[in-house]
C-alpha cells in the first residue's frame, strides 16, 4: 500500500465516524442517543441511557473513557489525599432542584423521624409501602408516619419488597 492509499483510508474512516456520530435532524438539540422505543436520551453516558426504553438503538454522544488501572499504592495515596481535602458541594441555583446524578454520593443514612420503635413500622404515605425497623428507609422518606404493622396492612399498605417484619 502506498502512503496516499493509507491516508485516504484514514480520511474515509474518520468521515464515516463523524457522520455516524451526528444526531439526526429530528432529534432534540441536547439528545445523545435514540432509544429502541423511539424516544431520545439526553444522558451524558451511554450506560443506562435508555433504561426502561428497551435499550439504546443508536448512540451519537461521546464515548465513555475507561478509567486507567491504578496500583494499590496509588489508590491508597489518592484516598488519603481525598480524606485530607474537604468535599465541595455541587453548585445549584437558589430554588433549583439538582438532578439525581449531580448529588454527591453519600454513605450515611438519613436521620430517622422521631416516634418509631420496635413495634412500629414506617409507612411511606406517598408510595403506600411500609418499612420495618432497621430498614434503610425506616423513618427517612419525605412523606410518612409510624403505625403498627397490623394497622398498616389493614389500611391497605404493603410491605417493602413483599417481606413483612419479623
Amino acid at each position: 500500500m502506498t502512503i496516499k492509499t493509507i491516508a485516504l483510508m484514514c480520511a474515509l474512516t474518520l468521515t464515516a465516524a463523524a457522520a455516524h456520530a451526528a444526531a439526526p435532524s429530528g432529534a432534540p438539540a441536547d439528545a445523545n442517543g435514540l432509544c429502541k422505543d423511539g424516544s431520545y436520551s439526553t444522558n451524558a453516558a451511554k450506560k443506562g441511557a435508555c433504561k426502561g426504553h428497551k435499550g439504546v438503538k443508536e448512540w451519537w454522544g461521546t464515548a465513555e473513557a475507561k478509567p486507567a488501572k491504578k496500583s494499590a499504592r496509588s489508590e491508597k495515596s489518592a484516598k488519603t489525599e481525598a480524606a485530607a481535602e474537604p468535599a465541595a458541594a455541587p453548585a445549584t441555583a437558589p430554588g433549583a432542584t439538582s438532578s439525581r446524578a449531580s448529588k454527591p454520593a453519600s454513605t450515611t443514612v438519613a436521620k430517622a423521624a422521631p416516634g418509631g420503635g420496635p413495634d412500629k413500622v414506617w409507612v411511606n404515605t406517598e408510595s403506600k409501602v411500609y418499612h420495618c425497623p432497621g430498614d434503610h428507609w425506616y423513618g427517612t422518606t419525605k412523606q410518612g408516619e409510624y403505625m403498627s404493622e397490623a394497622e398498616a396492612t389493614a389500611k391497605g399498605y404493603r410491605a417493602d419488597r413483599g417481606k413483612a417484619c419479623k
Side-chain angles (χ1 to χ4, degrees), residues 99-111:
S99 68
R100 182 175 216 169
S102 67
K103 290 182 182 176
S106 175
T107 55
T108 60
V109 178
K111 196 172 191 178

Side-chain angles (χ1 to χ4, degrees), residues 5-45:
T5 308
I6 294 172
L8 181 61
M9 288 174 46
C10 289
L12 289 173
T13 304
L14 290 173
T15 305
H20 180 68
S25 61
D30 58 345
N32 289 325
L34 174 65
C35 301
K36 289 181 180 177
D37 68 352
S39 62
Y40 291 95
S41 172
T42 58
N43 227 22

Side-chain angles (χ1 to χ4, degrees), residues 54-119:
K54 301 178 185 174
V56 176
K57 183 177 182 180
E58 286 185 52
W59 187 257
W60 52 83
T62 57
E64 296 178 50
K66 292 184 179 180
K69 290 185 178 180
K70 295 181 181 178
S71 67
R73 181 180 175 106
S74 66
E75 238 177 77
K76 187 175 181 181
S77 63
K79 286 181 182 177
T80 307
E81 290 171 14
E85 297 176 20
T92 52
T97 58
S98 61
S99 68
R100 182 175 216 169
S102 67
K103 290 182 182 176
S106 175
T107 55
T108 60
V109 178
K111 196 172 191 178
D119 59 335

